Amino acid sequence: MINSENFIQDFRDLYLKSPQCGSWSRGSENCDYGDIITVSKDSYMCFNSGNCRDAYYCEDSRALTNCTDCAFCEQCELCYECVDCNNCYDSNYCQDSVNCEDIHFSYDLRRCKHCIGCVGLRDKEYYIFNKKHSQEDYEKALETLDFSNPKILEEIDKKLEVLKREIPRKFVHQFDTQNCTGDYIYHSKNCYRCFDTRHTEDSGYIYQANLDMGTKDSWDCGPIPTGMDLCYDIAYSHYLFNCKHLYWCGNLKDSQYCTNCFESKNLFGCHYIKSKEDGYYILNQKVDEDFYKKTTKEIIDILREKGIYALYDLLFKDLDRDVVSVSDDQLGRSCTLCGDNFEITEDEIGFYKKMDIILPIYCPNCRAEQRIDLRNERKMYKRECGGCKNPLITTYSPDNPHIVYCLDCYWQNIG
Amino acid sequence: MKDSVTKKCQGCKKEFLIIPQEQSFYEKKKLPTPSNCHECRRNRRKSLRNERKLYQRKCDKCDKDLESTYPKNSPYIIYCEECYYNEVN
């Protein structure tokens, strides 16, 4: 029996009783340690990355071959400790560089080869600290560069920092964008304060939408949303239309407050469900359309009364705390979690009205932090699959009370 | 196949592993094995990127209004797109 008054506790109980997948990978071989890995091979401790081969400790990257300790990189080979580098080869400790080979301790280089400690160079070879050297002198310098001596590394860092302060940099990282605010945005338009996102349009506060399937008309989505259309408060999900408050879901329509649900529509407060095309579901139970409409409205009113603004609140908020309410007229407000001031914009209000969402009392960063926290930290532990009892390497620690399945059991048992 | 090597992190003092494939990587590139564990290494890389916060400031060349992840008092020289392409690119 579904009772609106008990919904919050019932939702939390059902979440604890539903299996979670220990770690996720697709089309990969020998990548047991890591989480959210696609089409990769022989890679160890990589996270949210795809098309990697022989990569170790890499994160949020694509198409890395034999790289270690790289983040937000694409199409690199034999690179070490690089961040935001594309198409680089045999390079170490570089950042924001593209199409380079054999560069070290450098920042913002394009189409350069054989450089050490350089900033903002284009089409250059054999430069050290932005000064041209002969090939001989460069090779001598590289030979004597003792990477294992922390004093030498410190000296290089100091000289590099001096150069970094002398050479101008662009105010944000954007490429192929129109009317976008935020950082690390590509092939997008009309983005409001988005970060690490591509193929996004008419959206706001989208974080780490790093695949090509695009996001549009959505707010507060990410990490790792892809194929979002008319969505709000979504984390780690794909291919959603008109959905709110979801975590680890895919191919859903017209659904709210769900985790681990796939290929369905009209789900409210469900966990671990698949392929329910027909019908209306609350807390995994099939109900008729009228009951669904009446009860979900009742529940939403109760959630608003209790100060539930996001999926994270529904799962974890301490309900005994006083409910703070802010008048809708107050567009400039103070985040009730961190105290930072934030503004609610006209576009945002238009979206909230269209989607029937209450104005938030947390700032956009706290909202994003909450969504990030819905998934475990990037740490791996050894456990046993709750289904088949085989050994399982997972982000769930042994004392975590959740039921954790290997991918096979997770898909075989989903209702 | 080599064994994994255990080292003590110079940052957080925890023990960490260097697996055989990783050792081969460092040998191939003539690099030393790291002295910090992967979490301390990850934190260092994270600190290289700006926080996801936007500030109102001006281009240090043409004074145009900008919304940037670099605050007004940033030690770096911040240019708008046009000034940057004219000077650096």
Side-chain angles (χ1 to χ4, degrees):
Chain A
M1 230 4 279
I2 292 169
N3 183 332
S4 307
E5 292 294 330
N6 292 343
F7 174 77
I8 298 176
Q9 195 52 55
D10 287 342
F11 183 80
R12 292 178 177 186
D13 290 343
L14 189 57
Y15 181 58
L16 200 56
K17 281 204 308 238
S18 302
Q20 311 296 321
C21 80
S23 67
W24 186 80
S25 66
R26 179 176 63 77
S28 298
E29 205 183 294
N30 190 23
C31 295
D32 295 336
Y33 285 81
D35 188 22
I36 310 185
I37 306 290
T38 55
V39 193
S40 297
K41 198 163 181 279
D42 300 323
S43 294
Y44 179 77
M45 287 301 281
C46 292
F47 295 85
N48 186 30
S49 296
N51 297 87
C52 291
R53 301 265 175 293
D54 301 305
Y56 317 119
Y57 301 106
C58 293
E59 305 190 320
D60 307 297
S61 296
R62 292 267 164 296
L64 301 187
T65 303
N66 212 203
C67 294
T68 302
D69 279 317
C70 291
F72 294 100
C73 289
E74 282 194 22
Q75 307 214 282
C76 290
E77 188 172 340
L78 269 181
C79 288
Y80 178 64
E81 287 278 10
C82 288
V83 178
D84 290 301
C85 288
N86 283 12
N87 224 337
C88 288
Y89 181 81
D90 201 10
S91 298
N92 309 316
Y93 292 99
C94 292
Q95 189 180 3
D96 282 356
S97 297
V98 184
N99 292 331
C100 294
E101 183 181 325
D102 185 37
I103 60 168
H104 312 270
F105 301 100
S106 293
Y107 180 86
D108 188 20
L109 302 193
R110 300 254 186 293
R111 305 177 302 274
C112 292
K113 282 189 188 174
H114 319 300
C115 294
I116 301 174
C118 294
V119 177
L121 299 183
R122 305 284 183 262
D123 302 292
K124 301 282 191 284
E125 283 189 32
Y126 301 114
Y127 273 64
I128 303 181
F129 296 121
N130 279 31
K131 298 239 167 13
K132 173 109 179 126
H133 285 63
S134 69
Q135 177 174 346
E136 228 189 302
D137 284 343
Y138 173 86
E139 279 168 6
K140 249 189 252 157
L142 191 56
E143 202 117 312
T144 58
L145 175 50
D146 185 3
F147 280 90
S148 64
N149 186 338
K151 286 226 160 67
I152 294 194
L153 299 192
E154 226 185 281
E155 239 184 80
I156 297 182
D157 257 336
K158 276 206 184 105
K159 285 197 172 135
L160 182 69
E161 186 62 27
V162 169
L163 266 181
K164 277 180 175 178
R165 295 188 183 202
E166 281 170 8
I167 294 178
R169 48 180 71 184
K170 208 161 80 159
F171 71 110
V172 284
H173 304 82
Q174 284 187 25
F175 177 75
D176 185 27
T177 60
Q178 255 182 66
N179 189 31
C180 291
T181 55
D183 207 357
Y184 300 103
I185 308 178
Y186 312 98
H187 315 294
S188 300
K189 66 181 197 197
N190 305 328
C191 289
Y192 184 75
R193 305 201 165 179
C194 296
F195 294 88
D196 289 302
T197 192
R198 51 191 65 200
H199 301 286
T200 297
E201 278 182 35
D202 305 315
S203 299
Y205 304 126
I206 308 295
Y207 288 42
Q208 279 186 266
N210 52 1
L211 290 183
D212 299 344
M213 298 308 149
T215 298
K216 61 187 197 356
D217 292 311
S218 298
W219 287 72
D220 271 327
C221 296
I224 310 162
T226 194
M228 303 285 105
D229 193 349
L230 217 55
C231 288
Y232 179 73
D233 184 32
I234 309 289
Y236 303 96
S237 300
H238 56 277
Y239 302 127
L240 308 175
F241 179 78
N242 189 33
C243 289
K244 297 182 254 196
H245 315 298
L246 304 181
Y247 163 66
W248 203 250
C249 293
N251 297 86
L252 293 187
K253 193 169 173 282
D254 306 324
S255 297
Q256 292 187 59
Y257 291 110
C258 298
T259 76
N260 296 285
C261 290
F262 305 90
E263 289 161 30
S264 307
K265 56 185 191 193
N266 300 313
L267 304 183
F268 189 98
C270 296
H271 299 285
Y272 198 59
I273 272 193
K274 188 166 182 273
S275 303
K276 299 275 193 257
E277 269 290 317
D278 237 347
Y280 298 80
Y281 293 80
I282 303 179
L283 290 168
N284 291 22
Q285 296 167 53
K286 188 165 181 177
V287 298
D288 71 48
E289 186 175 352
D290 288 333
F291 183 84
Y292 181 88
K293 292 200 162 117
K294 175 168 94 64
T295 312
T296 54
K297 183 165 185 326
E298 260 169 38
I299 294 174
I300 288 174
D301 286 339
I302 293 175
L303 295 184
R304 287 174 181 178
E305 257 176 66
K306 303 265 183 190
I308 306 280
Y309 289 83
L311 178 63
Y312 184 90
D313 286 339
L314 181 56
L315 282 172
F316 304 117
K317 184 169 187 167
D318 177 1
L319 299 170
D320 291 330
R321 275 176 54 201
D322 284 331
V323 177
V324 178
S325 83
V326 182
S327 154
D328 273 3
D329 297 328
Q330 205 179 317
L331 298 186
R333 28 185 81 185
S334 190
C335 176
T336 58
L337 293 176
C338 73
D340 269 4
N341 291 332
F342 69 104
E343 285 275 330
I344 300 189
T345 66
E346 293 291 325
D347 285 340
E348 238 179 298
I349 293 184
F351 179 80
Y352 294 147
K353 283 211 162 78
K354 179 162 72 172
M355 298 284 281
D356 190 26
I357 298 167
I358 48 172
L359 269 47
I361 56 173
Y362 313 137
C363 69
N365 269 351
C366 286
R367 285 160 13 213
E369 283 299 316
Q370 285 188 338
R371 294 194 303 273
I372 290 171
D373 285 346
L374 289 172
R375 194 152 186 83
N376 290 339
E377 270 182 20
R378 292 176 173 183
K379 271 186 167 129
M380 308 306 291
Y381 303 90
K382 291 194 171 134
R383 263 179 84 133
E384 218 178 65
C385 169
C388 62
K389 308 301 181 196
N390 282 336
L392 179 63
I393 297 165
T394 166
T395 54
Y396 285 86
S397 65
D399 57 2
N400 186 305
H402 281 281
I403 300 172
V404 181
Y405 279 6
C406 66
L407 270 181
D408 284 337
C409 290
Y410 180 83
W411 289 121
Q412 270 168 36
N413 291 292
I414 191 163
Chain B
M1 188 50 151
K2 298 186 262 235
D3 285 329
S4 291
V5 167
T6 311
K7 266 178 110 161
K8 190 165 176 199
C9 176
Q10 281 183 18
C12 66
K13 312 300 182 202
K14 282 207 280 245
E15 278 195 354
F16 67 102
L17 280 184
I18 304 185
I19 60 171
Q21 303 92 306
E22 223 187 315
Q23 289 168 51
S24 305
F25 176 84
Y26 298 130
E27 275 164 29
K28 180 159 41 170
K29 288 190 42 105
K30 303 206 186 86
L31 289 168
T33 56
S35 355
N36 288 349
C37 71
H38 85 266
E39 266 175 63
C40 290
R41 278 143 46 197
R42 174 195 287 150
N43 288 340
R44 187 200 79 94
R45 285 193 294 278
K46 191 165 179 212
S47 72
L48 293 176
R49 290 176 122 228
N50 288 347
E51 265 184 45
R52 287 170 174 169
K53 248 184 175 157
L54 289 165
Y55 304 92
Q56 306 304 324
R57 59 163 297 143
K58 293 188 182 286
C59 170
D60 283 332
K61 176 106 187 199
C62 72
D63 234 27
K64 183 160 124 185
D65 282 324
L66 301 172
E67 201 170 280
S68 168
T69 48
Y70 293 96
K72 273 200 184 115
N73 59 3
S74 165
Y76 301 111
I77 304 172
I78 306 300
Y79 278 11
C80 68
E81 187 164 18
E82 223 180 293
C83 293
Y84 174 78
Y85 283 124
N86 284 338
E87 193 144 327
V88 182
N89 236 28

